[in-house]
Amino acid sequence: MQENRSHLSQDARVCFSVIGLLFMVTSIGPALHGHWLVPAFSILAMAALTFALERHGKSTPAQETLELADGQVRHRDSSGRQIELPAFWMHLAAEGRSPTDLRLFLRSRDGSIEFGRCLSLDERRAVAPLVAAALAHARGC
């Protein structure tokens, strides 16, 4: 599983430029009244946003590996953490505090694994039945 990371489209870049232009235009009025920190803040805010978008675009996307085979469940994430637990006592648990929130867990008496953190809500909903079927197969049910 890997985080979906698409680049900004041309329309998104135009929209971002228009927002920056509007930010600067709305700063003109306060600047004419002697409030020079308003345009300086606007420039710094747009520079920080541009820097954050560029840095995010160059970073590696989050990813996870979930293996269900040979009676074992193995989970590895992009930070290098690896968990291995027996599949026999595992069950899939889906938790959500609201309709727009869904967290997926594989739980057993030996521990718990949260997976799918790098996926969108729709992708989590789609992968849950696949993992449940693979878990049943790994347990031999």
Side-chain angles (χ1 to χ4, degrees):
M1 295 174 273
Q2 182 173 338
E3 177 184 29
N4 184 7
R5 192 67 80 78
S6 58
H7 295 286
L8 287 176
S9 66
Q10 185 62 27
D11 292 337
R13 291 185 184 275
V14 169
C15 182
F16 184 67
S17 300
V18 168
I19 290 171
L21 181 65
L22 289 174
F23 221 34
M24 294 310 298
V25 168
T26 57
S27 300
I28 292 173
L32 292 176
H33 288 85
H35 302 286
W36 290 102
L37 290 178
V38 175
F41 174 77
S42 296
I43 291 170
L44 286 174
M46 290 307 296
L49 184 58
T50 302
F51 174 75
L53 285 171
E54 289 297 319
R55 184 157 183 196
H56 179 73
K58 291 179 182 177
S59 66
T60 57
Q63 59 185 7
E64 300 175 63
T65 303
L66 182 64
E67 297 177 41
L68 300 145
D70 302 326
Q72 295 289 318
V73 176
R74 291 177 201 88
H75 180 265
R76 187 174 45 253
D77 61 14
S78 54
S79 64
R81 289 181 295 215
Q82 185 168 340
I83 300 172
E84 184 170 338
L85 295 170
F88 186 75
W89 298 106
M90 283 278 171
H91 68 277
L92 178 66
E95 295 178 359
R97 289 168 264 170
S98 69
T100 59
D101 179 39
L102 179 65
R103 295 175 65 191
L104 300 173
F105 294 93
L106 287 172
R107 291 200 169 128
S108 76
R109 62 184 182 171
D110 298 326
S112 177
I113 301 170
E114 182 179 3
F115 68 96
R117 291 176 294 223
C118 63
L119 301 176
S120 70
L121 179 63
D122 292 334
E123 291 170 330
R124 287 181 197 163
R125 287 180 180 153
V127 81
L130 299 174
V131 171
L135 182 61
H137 181 64
R139 284 192 309 223
C141 296

